[in-house]
Amino acid sequence: MSKIATLEIDGKKYEFPITTGTENESAIDIKALRASTGGVTTIDPGYKNTGSCESAITFLNGEEGILRYRGYAIEELAEKADFLEVAYLLIFGELPTKEQLDKFHTDIKAQSHVDEDVKKIIDGFPKSAHPMGVLSSLTSALVAFNPSSVNVDSEEDMYNAIVRILGKFPVLTAWAYRKRVGLPLDYGDDNLGYVENFLKMMFKKPSGDYTTNKVVVDALDKLLILHADHEQNCSTSTVRMVGSSHAGLFVSISAGIAALWGPLHGGANQAVIEMLEGIKEDGGDTKKYMAKAKDKQDPFRLMGFGHRVYKNFDPRAKIIKKSADEVLGDLGVDDPVLDIAKGLEKEALEDSYFVDRKLYPNVDFYSGIIYRAMGIPVEMFTPMFALGRLPGWIAQWREMRLRKEPIGRPRQVYIGENLRSFKKIDNR
Ligand code: ACO
């Protein structure tokens, strides 16, 4: 029998159905709330208790530290799958067959050229521009070069838009970096895998060959898989919200990139390494920074710690921590900030402030250390996150459109002035 929630307002009772997901998560369905109560709404800043949609893409249990894409455990995908396979899984719902994966990759490669005029736009940015801003602008600009709107009822149209953005986005990401460091804007090599080709596009020098390093390719592949989706986080909700007005895929993604940029979200990976560097330069006194993080008068927060949903270990952080040790070992890199990070983690896990608030390392605590060991500069950390999150954004946008979700439009509780009369400027 389906469950019912009863709400009582001023002695009057209202009943609402409780909907249950496939993992037994319950939600009170308040679709009829305003209509049945005569205008009462709910208030939930930050949407801490609000489900914005039903979704079949990613399952996350923050209490138990579980993350699954389309039913597959993140630990298994990180170990056995490659990034493009995971992208296909997220977007289309099933792991691809060999033929499907080959076709997917071939179609992406066929769409990986970017109009030469895009280079003129990049030229207009100062070298100092943050690559996240550049990337968000360029992704939005892609609409101008590919103006045909996607007919979401046509599977072919939808597929073409998806391979187009998956093809062009790594080029734009690499170009955002190359512009910053003054390298010519160039393409990679269609004979390479998706991730390998991206690395070549980033690092190929005008003279000399680019040699692939398998350790780096595998590590990046894994990092991208770990970032590929995370259900209704800030940037994904943004993508769904913008897309809900029937704005196209590219601009919806562009908005998601802007949301990801903030230091409380994707920008945390850059903030973590800057924090660790700062601690190192200040003599490596982790206790001092632990005290700052706990001091409510001090705005300092331990970046890479805490998560809106995980109140237990972030399962991605566990995989990344292990990977950081392996990658740095394989590459022969000795990075003192890894020791500082481990020291902070150890202290935090034994400190009642962090334990009581269930603050654990999140995905970003160790990722920057791996990026740095790969030679990826700090300001490119968040663009790397965007590259990884792209399939998730696409999958969520596609799901939202296929389910014909209504336009996103939250309510508010107005707390401003009541009606008052206009005073002429001389009387104010
Ligand atoms: N350092 C110190 N204290 C913290 C931290 C932190 N990193 N994170 C949370 N707290 C404290 C808060 O001060 C608050 O304390 P109080 O109850 O005494 O007031 C309590 O823990 C709860 O924190 P909130 O900010 O209410 O938690 P919320 O769910 O809103 O925020 C967030 C989650 C934004 C991730 C937060 O933990 C944070 O700012 N962390 C650092 C930034 C970061 O690493 N972001 C990346 C998140 S992962 C991602 O987006 C991919």
Side-chain angles (χ1 to χ4, degrees):
M1 211 180 75
S2 56
K3 288 192 269 179
I4 298 280
T6 308
L7 175 70
E8 190 172 325
I9 305 172
D10 293 338
K12 196 163 172 215
K13 287 188 177 162
Y14 304 90
E15 289 192 335
F16 299 97
I18 294 186
T19 179
T20 307
T22 47
E23 290 287 343
N24 290 325
E25 290 167 306
S26 294
I28 305 169
D29 180 344
I30 56 158
K31 282 193 216 81
L33 177 68
R34 278 178 56 82
S36 56
T37 58
V40 174
T41 189
T42 56
I43 185 150
D44 187 21
Y47 310 119
K48 293 193 179 194
N49 306 280
T50 299
S52 60
C53 60
E54 289 178 327
S55 177
I57 300 171
T58 289
F59 172 65
L60 198 170
N61 180 327
E63 280 70 35
E64 291 177 31
I66 296 173
L67 175 63
R68 294 181 203 142
Y69 298 160
R70 301 282 189 183
Y72 295 97
I74 191 65
E75 293 79 4
E76 203 179 4
L77 290 172
E79 195 193 322
K80 299 179 184 163
D82 74 27
F83 178 60
L84 222 47
E85 253 181 312
V86 170
Y88 188 100
L89 170 71
L90 283 167
I91 298 168
F92 301 110
E94 294 295 338
L95 284 167
T97 61
K98 172 103 184 54
E99 290 72 35
Q100 285 168 329
L101 186 60
D102 287 347
K103 179 176 179 329
F104 191 45
H105 194 195
T106 305
D107 294 339
I108 289 170
K109 283 188 285 194
Q111 288 296 339
S112 63
H113 57 276
V114 174
D115 196 295
E116 279 295 296
D117 281 348
V118 171
K119 291 183 177 171
K120 292 185 198 153
I121 304 178
I122 299 184
D123 242 9
F125 284 102
K127 264 199 181 133
S128 58
H130 194 286
M132 281 302 271
V134 176
L135 206 45
S136 177
S137 311
L138 294 180
T139 307
S140 183
L142 277 183
V143 183
F145 296 93
N146 306 269
S148 60
S149 64
V150 184
N151 171 8
V152 296
D153 294 322
S154 153
E155 230 171 84
E156 196 190 340
D157 253 35
M158 192 76 122
Y159 180 82
N160 288 340
I162 290 167
V163 291
R164 209 173 286 144
I165 188 76
L166 281 167
K168 297 184 199 313
F169 195 75
V171 180
L172 298 181
T173 310
W175 283 4
Y177 165 67
R178 294 179 77 88
K179 157 80 189 186
R180 201 171 159 90
V181 293
L183 283 168
L185 309 183
D186 208 348
Y187 285 96
D189 179 347
D190 273 354
N191 296 313
L192 300 177
Y194 190 80
V195 172
E196 203 175 351
N197 191 35
F198 169 73
L199 284 165
K200 181 168 184 175
M201 285 194 286
M202 283 272 288
F203 295 122
K204 188 174 74 172
K205 294 276 156 47
S207 55
D209 289 335
Y210 172 81
T211 339
T212 296
N213 181 331
K214 195 171 171 335
V215 174
V216 172
V217 175
D218 290 348
L220 182 56
D221 205 279
K222 192 176 281 192
L223 280 173
L224 297 179
I225 290 173
L226 295 176
H227 285 89
D229 195 48
H230 213 230
E231 51 115 305
Q232 308 312 317
N233 56 84
C234 176
S235 57
T236 302
S237 298
T238 303
V239 170
R240 285 183 87 124
M241 174 71 94
V242 173
S244 77
S245 74
H246 294 193
L249 175 61
F250 298 171
V251 278
S252 303
I253 301 282
S254 164
I257 298 168
L260 187 72
W261 192 357
L264 297 190
H265 189 18
N269 57 14
Q270 175 170 348
V272 169
I273 209 88
E274 286 168 353
M275 173 190 79
L276 294 173
E277 273 298 326
I279 298 175
K280 189 184 93 187
E281 270 153 39
D282 193 23
D285 184 356
T286 49
K287 293 209 164 41
K288 175 176 163 189
Y289 285 86
M290 287 292 287
K292 274 166 76 61
K294 293 189 283 181
D295 180 356
K296 293 290 166 201
Q297 307 311 316
D298 191 323
F300 177 80
R301 276 194 166 194
L302 202 53
M303 298 313 287
F305 257 78
H307 196 276
R308 169 58 60 79
V309 184
Y310 291 119
K311 300 302 170 197
N312 192 328
F313 232 88
D314 180 339
R316 303 166 301 174
K318 269 192 202 165
I319 303 170
I320 291 183
K321 182 181 177 186
K322 189 163 163 267
S323 183
D325 274 328
E326 287 164 6
V327 175
L328 268 63
D330 286 348
L331 295 175
V333 173
D334 182 19
D335 191 340
V337 303
L338 180 59
D339 293 330
I340 294 179
K342 285 183 178 168
L344 279 174
E345 179 187 332
K346 189 168 177 300
E347 281 171 43
L349 295 180
E350 289 164 0
D351 190 304
S352 61
Y353 174 96
F354 289 88
V355 174
D356 293 350
R357 289 172 180 75
K358 300 188 165 75
L359 301 170
Y360 293 90
N362 60 48
V363 66
D364 288 324
F365 195 61
Y366 287 102
S367 64
I369 295 172
I370 307 182
Y371 287 139
R372 196 153 78 157
M374 289 173 180
I376 293 172
V378 173
E379 66 280 3
M380 283 304 290
F381 290 1
T382 318
M384 303 309 295
F385 191 155
L387 185 67
R389 185 54 54 89
L390 182 63
W393 288 332
I394 296 171
Q396 301 272 353
W397 177 87
R398 179 176 178 268
E399 180 181 70
M400 182 268 308
R401 291 304 308 268
L402 291 182
R403 287 175 60 89
K404 303 208 181 307
E405 283 179 11
I407 185 167
R409 204 302 186 186
R411 289 274 171 174
Q412 65 166 17
V413 175
Y414 176 70
I415 55 164
E417 298 289 344
N418 295 118
L419 181 65
R420 46 185 174 161
S421 304
F422 181 83
K423 278 190 197 145
K424 287 197 170 159
I425 196 155
D426 295 340
N427 301 333
R428 287 175 214 161

